[in-house]
């Protein structure tokens, strides 16, 4: 296998754009497509070939990277390019779609003769831009040479998990991690909202927990965004609500009732309905107040 790959990136939003840039910077031939074409156009300055038809992106590709909102969106895009997909290409499914959707996508990949890798990623926009994502991966050994070459370009760490990609071992782990991250995000927003409602200076809160077991870097980061009014999206309110719905559904299907996740899904959706859907997920803070 050549060290230089032809890679199609389908979905160049918050995460996909950074992935495409880093693949191009690593010397690969990158073709990028996004449903909203204007979001992909800036990538041309980084050597990425931006196309308006996803079939142009995947034709002749060694690897196809999907980074789309959910399972239905991913399935629809891949089905739309079915005739252009090269048999034997490696499909790296990096979006968070949940284990059920991942199983359906894996079955479709098998029908089309593709090597499917369950490969959700951990990180935010700055992490993706820096090429330091953590990749959670599961898939066939035959896909590893191509997959690892792509992962080396977009990530700082790859964790290969045992098991069949159709069973979604990486997707399951991603939901567990996201449940923790989103719980912290929601709790940070609610805590600062309570401080505001009670007339408590947030600095006194941070002074009281400083350096102790209750203090952590993620709390500080999201609190700074809220207090500074900077809701530039690293991961959106809309995406958080979607992930929490996936988490609740996966838990229920496996016999685990997730009350906090269910409440969190409603909270993030309420913030989205108030007009904060495209803002950073820390904007769920506003769900505590009347619109």
């Amino acid at each position: 296998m050549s060290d230089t790959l032809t890679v199609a990136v389908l979905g160049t939003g918050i995460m996909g754009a950074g992935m495409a840039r880093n693949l191009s910077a690593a010397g690969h031939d990158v073709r990028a497509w996004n449903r909203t074409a204007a979001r992909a156009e800036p990538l041309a300055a980084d050597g990425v070939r931006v196309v308006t038809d996803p079939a142009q992106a995947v034709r002749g590709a060694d690897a196809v990277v999907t980074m789309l909102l959910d399972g239905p969106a991913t399935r629809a895009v891949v089905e739309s390019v079915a005739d252009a997909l090269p048999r034997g290409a490696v499909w790296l499914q990096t979006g968070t779609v949940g284990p059920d959707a991942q199983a359906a996508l894996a079955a479709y990949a098998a029908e089309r003769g593709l090597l499917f890798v369950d490969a959700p990623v951990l990180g935010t926009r700055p992490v993706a831009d820096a090429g330091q994502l953590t990749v959670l991966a599961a898939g066939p050994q035959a896909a590893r040479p191509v997959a690892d070459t792509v992962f080396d370009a977009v990530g700082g760490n790859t964790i290969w998990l045992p098991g069949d990609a159709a069973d979604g071992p990486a997707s399951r782990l991603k939901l567990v991690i996201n449940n923790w991250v989103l719980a912290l995000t929601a709790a940070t927003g609610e805590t600062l909202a309570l401080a505001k409602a009670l007339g408590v200076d947030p600095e006194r809160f941070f002074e009281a927990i400083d350096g102790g077991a209750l203090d952590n870097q993620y709390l500080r980061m999201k609190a700074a965004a809220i207090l500074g009014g900077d809701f530039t999206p690293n991961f959106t309110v809309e995406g958080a609500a979607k992930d929490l719905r996936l988490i609740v559904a996966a838990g229920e299907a496996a016999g685990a009732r997730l009350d906090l996740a269910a409440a969190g899904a409603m909270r993030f959706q309420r913030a989205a309905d108030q007009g904060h859907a495209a803002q950073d997920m820390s904007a769920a803070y506003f769900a505590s107040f009347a619109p």
Side-chain angles (χ1 to χ4, degrees):
M1 185 195 72
S2 169
D3 290 337
T4 301
L5 302 176
T6 298
V7 184
V9 179
L10 305 180
T12 59
I14 289 174
M15 306 294 284
M19 295 168 74
R21 286 192 186 94
N22 283 300
L23 282 161
S24 180
H28 301 297
D29 175 17
V30 183
R31 301 118 171 230
W33 171 86
N34 195 66
R35 190 179 304 277
T36 304
R39 297 182 69 177
E41 288 170 359
L43 294 171
D46 298 290
V48 176
R49 180 180 164 199
V50 178
V51 299
T52 56
D53 179 358
Q56 291 179 273
V58 305
R59 192 170 285 112
D62 301 300
V64 177
V65 178
T66 50
M67 176 53 85
L68 298 157
L69 178 63
D70 55 22
T74 303
R75 179 67 180 260
V77 171
V78 174
E79 284 186 344
S80 76
V81 301
D83 292 340
L85 285 167
R87 294 188 71 84
V90 176
W91 177 5
L92 307 172
Q93 205 311 95
T94 64
T96 303
V97 301
D100 289 345
Q102 198 77 326
L105 295 173
Y108 183 74
E111 293 173 11
R112 306 301 306 188
L114 304 172
L115 297 175
F116 184 79
V117 181
D118 175 23
V121 298
L122 304 178
T124 58
R125 184 198 297 270
V127 179
D129 288 346
Q132 291 299 309
L133 294 167
T134 294
V135 183
L136 310 174
Q141 187 65 34
R144 288 282 293 266
V146 168
D148 279 332
T149 300
V150 172
F151 297 156
D152 286 347
V154 304
N157 184 33
T158 299
I159 301 172
W160 280 96
L161 301 166
D164 193 322
D167 295 329
S171 286
R172 294 173 191 274
L173 175 56
K174 177 66 185 297
L175 292 188
V176 171
I177 295 168
N178 276 16
N179 186 56
W180 176 236
V181 170
L182 295 171
L184 286 175
T185 303
T188 299
E190 282 202 347
T191 298
L192 293 180
L194 179 62
K196 179 177 181 179
L198 298 181
V200 173
D201 182 350
E203 290 305 316
R204 301 288 75 78
F205 163 66
F206 291 112
E207 181 182 2
I209 67 169
D210 187 40
L214 299 178
D215 200 0
N216 71 73
Q217 184 178 357
Y218 188 82
L219 161 68
R220 298 276 184 166
M221 179 177 69
K222 288 302 178 187
I226 293 169
L227 295 173
D230 182 3
F231 299 104
T232 303
N234 290 312
F235 187 69
T236 65
V237 167
E238 178 185 32
K242 178 267 298 183
D243 281 5
L244 280 166
R245 289 191 292 269
L246 290 174
I247 288 163
V248 171
E252 287 180 348
R257 178 173 172 173
L258 305 176
D259 296 324
L260 290 178
M266 291 188 289
R267 179 176 177 82
F268 280 100
Q269 188 59 53
R270 186 162 69 250
D273 293 342
Q274 290 175 348
H276 304 287
Q279 293 181 329
D280 185 75
M281 60 182 175
S282 56
Y285 163 81
F286 294 109
S288 289
F289 307 103

